[in-house]
Amino acid sequence: MLCEVESRFISVERLHEYESIDIEKETGNSQVDKSWPRFGRITFLDVVMKYRADMDPVLQNINFDILPRQKVGIVGRTGAGKSSLAAALFRLTDISEGHVLVDDMEIRSISRKLLRSKLSSIPQDPVLFAGTLRYNLDPFDEYTDAQMWNALHQVHMKEKMKALDQTLDLNIQENGENFSVGERQLICLARAILRQNKILILDEATASIDTSTDALIQETIRENFSDCTVLTIAHRLNTVLHCDVILVMESGRVKEMGHPQTLIQNPLSHFSKMIRAQSVAPNA
């Protein structure tokens, strides 16, 4: 009984802890050109980022320039700083030093809400809310039914919905429990297709799904985001071999950057070593 009481009071303690969390401050301009970002160029200049002032930097002196419409694969070991790049781009954590530019505009000069509305993201754990399919695809009533069905068609979900006699008013349970993980990921992809933003970030989006659905998602991304800048934080190295550029992260730094085939052909490159290690691992 003492153990039970202790565990329940720890829950109460945590609830009190959540009450004192600082609310994210809204800074920056909330008015920019509607067409921004028009090209999707991303530039990091001498970026240093800490999650807290008393912690060591998770990103150290990051410099790179991603050109419009480039497909970039970001690879590295656990803790290398891959997801921290996305956190800096979305301003989930403000950088300590340096500049992050999107189409030559400093993102700190733009409000967080506006900035995030201009970027599309598909995370590792797909996010669906309790409500209708229509609400999950278009929570702000910005698109027509025809556009939503077209997005579902693009991710190969329309046929299944029609076969089950389901409409856009289909009820989705909390966290999308009435869909498989792969189907939830496809619905999140349909949401990104609807928004038609110039920048898409995939944060290990295919890490928890089977290889056939992974291939389906990669094909859909190639077809629908051909004129967009796509950043893929990779879980499987083979998913980024088709990219224009590979960005190798290590200990919060950019270790190397280049075309995948160029890096693979160099036996001393970190990327080629990672490829060799992956091919040897199953036999070990």
Side-chain angles (χ1 to χ4, degrees), residues 4-268:
E4 183 74 16
V5 169
E6 183 181 11
S7 65
R8 293 192 179 217
F9 270 96
I10 287 172
S11 299
V12 174
E13 183 182 28
R14 287 178 177 169
L15 286 171
H16 281 293
E17 192 74 28
Y18 283 128
E19 288 177 357
S20 62
I21 291 177
D22 293 333
I23 296 175
E24 194 175 58
K25 294 179 181 177
E26 188 60 274
T27 58
N29 186 10
S30 59
Q31 298 292 326
V32 297
D33 191 325
K34 285 188 176 181
S35 63
W36 181 89
R38 182 175 298 174
F39 306 107
R41 182 176 183 176
I42 302 171
T43 307
F44 276 57
L45 297 172
D46 301 321
V47 170
V48 176
M49 189 180 88
K50 299 179 181 180
Y51 282 119
R52 284 205 315 265
D54 58 340
M55 293 178 66
D56 292 331
V58 289
L59 295 178
Q60 304 180 58
N61 197 33
I62 301 294
N63 285 282
F64 60 77
D65 189 11
I66 296 171
L67 301 178
R69 299 193 297 278
Q70 276 192 331
K71 308 298 179 278
V72 181
I74 303 172
V75 300
R77 300 185 183 279
T78 301
K82 305 186 298 297
S83 296
S84 297
L85 288 177
L89 190 58
F90 277 96
R91 290 189 65 196
L92 298 176
T93 303
D94 281 326
I95 60 176
S96 308
E97 300 174 26
H99 306 276
V100 180
L101 311 177
V102 174
D103 279 4
D104 298 322
M105 182 177 288
E106 171 69 68
I107 64 171
R108 272 186 293 198
S109 67
I110 303 165
S111 71
R112 297 177 198 269
K113 183 177 180 181
L114 181 60
L115 171 67
R116 292 165 187 171
S117 72
K118 296 291 186 176
L119 307 174
S120 292
S121 173
I122 303 177
Q124 182 174 345
D125 298 315
V127 179
L128 294 181
F129 304 99
T132 63
L133 177 61
R134 183 195 308 276
Y135 173 74
N136 274 274
L137 289 174
D138 180 24
F140 304 111
D141 290 326
E142 296 175 339
Y143 306 99
T144 65
D145 285 11
Q147 288 173 309
M148 283 184 266
W149 279 118
N150 182 57
L152 288 170
H153 174 71
Q154 298 293 332
V155 298
H156 309 278
M157 284 287 287
K158 180 179 178 180
E159 294 76 11
K160 176 175 180 175
M161 297 294 295
K162 294 287 189 181
L164 295 173
D165 294 326
Q166 301 291 357
T167 66
L168 293 173
D169 294 318
L170 166 69
N171 185 57
I172 291 182
Q173 297 174 10
E174 188 73 36
N175 296 324
E177 292 297 328
N178 48 338
F179 288 97
S180 70
V181 175
E183 288 170 339
R184 284 179 237 164
Q185 204 66 282
L186 292 173
I187 292 173
C188 288
L189 183 56
R191 187 192 296 157
I193 289 172
L194 265 177
R195 297 188 69 85
Q196 296 182 329
N197 287 328
K198 279 293 182 182
I199 297 174
L200 172 67
I201 295 93
L202 303 169
D203 190 353
E204 301 196 16
T206 58
S208 55
I209 61 178
D210 61 274
T211 51
S212 59
T213 308
D214 184 355
L216 198 64
I217 288 177
Q218 298 297 336
E219 178 191 350
T220 304
I221 289 169
R222 281 194 293 271
E223 290 176 357
N224 291 277
F225 297 95
S226 58
D227 62 340
C228 301
T229 304
V230 180
L231 308 184
T232 304
I233 297 173
H235 178 76
R236 304 182 181 113
L237 294 180
N238 62 301
T239 61
V240 295
L241 292 178
H242 66 278
C243 290
D244 304 316
V245 176
I246 296 294
L247 184 69
V248 181
M249 296 289 296
E250 185 177 289
S251 302
R253 301 177 185 274
V254 176
K255 200 67 180 176
E256 63 185 10
M257 189 173 180
H259 191 276
Q261 293 307 315
T262 304
L263 296 177
I264 289 173
Q265 289 168 6
N266 178 6
L268 300 178

